[in-house]
Amino acid sequence: MTARTARTARTNTTSTAVELDELLAAARELSLAGRWERALRLLDSASCATPGDRARLALAAAEVTLQSDWFGGTALTAARAEHAEKQAPGTVGGSGTGRDPNFDWDLGFVRLRHDYLRLLRGDGTFRPGPEGKDPEALTGLRRRALALREDGPDEVRRGWASMYLGLIADNLFAERTAAPAHYEAALSAGETGGDDLLAREALRHLGDHDHDDGDHGRALERWERATALGARAGMVPGVLTQQLLLAVLARDAGDEAGATALAREIARWAGALGMGSVHAQATAFLDGADPTAAPQESGS
């Protein structure tokens, strides 16, 4: 398939031309739905004539593998991010001249999120807080997030950097009081910029702080809204992890039967869809674990 933005991407077997933007949007929607293998096959079947378009394909693949690593428990992002770097215009592999600052920012953000995931869950086990982690790695990650916020070419990208500054403070440094201001900035950017996924992520973690503070009504309001935003964006694993937080509130309210029924369905869906980490969270909840124990695991 050929892709085009007015340019085209071409499959290996046909000369059918499709808009590159449409191809990338389709792959992103498949990824959000948890169809990571299908999204990668779609991207890998396409070819583009220009270095810039080849770089966009490679970057999209890296973003898909990051979702797969996060929710499916794979370990694919490092190689795909390296390939995207080599495809960038202005490099030997990518050829061409000049670097696209948006591409560099987006690839840097993929790498930031991947390194955050490795520090949080590097051995497959959720390990929040700074204990047992390289202080230089933690400090360097925060420094990179600050630089991404400063260099973000638009409000939404700066909002995503703010979101990860909050997550890094919350989940890696255990600085609970420092995180909400970053989440509020991310929420404002998501709402102003029309990014449902950013708003969802911010609401998810602001609701976690409400829950820790004992304001379960406010937590319910934020978490229900986050669930709806994730559903509108087609983010199946994110909706499941968000529903698990609603099960937490049901348990808190004394509705153990309702909490158990919801968690069982989450586990059933996650297992059927191959979402290993989501399935593990749901089954741990059924065994009595509290997924909101501070610091909370990120559900990006």
Side-chain angles (χ1 to χ4, degrees):
M1 152 183 9
T2 346
R4 70 186 172 195
T5 66
R7 282 104 89 173
T8 58
R10 191 175 298 273
T11 63
N12 295 328
T13 57
T14 75
S15 59
T16 302
V18 297
E19 295 286 344
L20 178 58
D21 288 343
E22 289 297 320
L23 178 75
L24 297 179
R28 184 171 187 265
E29 290 183 9
L30 285 168
S31 180
L32 287 173
R35 303 298 189 183
W36 307 297
E37 291 183 6
R38 174 69 71 182
L40 286 174
R41 286 198 299 270
L42 177 63
L43 293 168
D44 289 344
S45 73
S47 62
C48 295
T50 69
D53 288 349
R54 289 195 294 270
R56 291 181 67 195
L57 280 174
L59 176 61
E63 291 170 339
V64 169
T65 56
L66 183 60
Q67 290 288 309
S68 176
D69 287 1
W70 193 280
F71 292 110
T74 55
L76 305 173
T77 304
R80 290 285 184 163
E82 183 66 22
H83 177 66
E85 174 65 33
K86 291 177 179 177
Q87 292 297 309
T91 65
V92 174
S95 72
T97 58
R99 293 289 293 237
D100 177 354
N102 287 356
F103 176 90
D104 285 341
W105 194 98
D106 291 341
L107 181 57
F109 188 52
V110 167
R111 285 181 158 150
L112 178 88
R113 292 155 66 198
H114 182 233
D115 289 343
Y116 167 79
L117 174 60
R118 290 195 296 186
L119 285 166
L120 187 66
R121 204 168 60 202
D123 60 357
T125 303
F126 174 53
R127 295 188 302 109
E131 186 176 353
K133 298 182 175 73
D134 180 357
E136 291 186 8
L138 297 178
T139 301
L141 193 70
R142 175 178 272 170
R143 187 182 304 116
R144 286 159 56 196
L146 284 166
L148 285 169
R149 187 180 65 182
E150 291 301 313
D151 297 340
D154 54 62
E155 183 177 11
V156 167
R157 284 182 172 92
R158 291 190 294 272
W160 273 112
S162 292
M163 186 69 228
Y164 269 79
L165 282 167
L167 292 173
I168 290 165
D170 239 350
N171 295 332
L172 295 181
F173 284 90
E175 296 173 352
R176 294 290 283 175
T177 58
H182 295 301
Y183 299 152
E184 292 285 2
L187 177 60
S188 176
E191 291 177 333
T192 303
D195 189 323
D196 283 350
L197 292 176
L198 176 55
R200 169 216 174 259
E201 190 76 3
L203 287 165
R204 174 179 174 83
H205 290 278
L206 286 167
D208 177 57
H209 282 261
D210 293 331
H211 180 260
D212 280 358
D213 293 341
D215 190 346
H216 290 189
R218 183 63 167 153
L220 177 62
E221 177 186 341
R222 293 201 208 254
W223 283 348
E224 286 182 336
R225 187 175 167 217
T227 305
L229 288 172
R232 186 163 72 183
M235 189 183 186
V236 173
V239 169
L240 294 179
T241 57
Q242 197 59 43
Q243 286 180 329
L244 188 60
L245 295 182
L246 299 180
V248 168
L249 289 179
R251 176 176 283 173
D252 289 345
D255 184 8
E256 185 62 29
T260 297
L262 181 53
R264 281 179 178 160
E265 286 306 304
I266 294 166
R268 193 192 321 274
W269 274 58
L273 293 169
M275 298 174 183
S277 62
V278 181
H279 183 267
Q281 289 178 44
T283 54
F285 177 85
L286 289 169
D287 291 336
D290 179 5
T292 66
Q296 180 200 357
E297 180 175 6
S298 166
S300 307

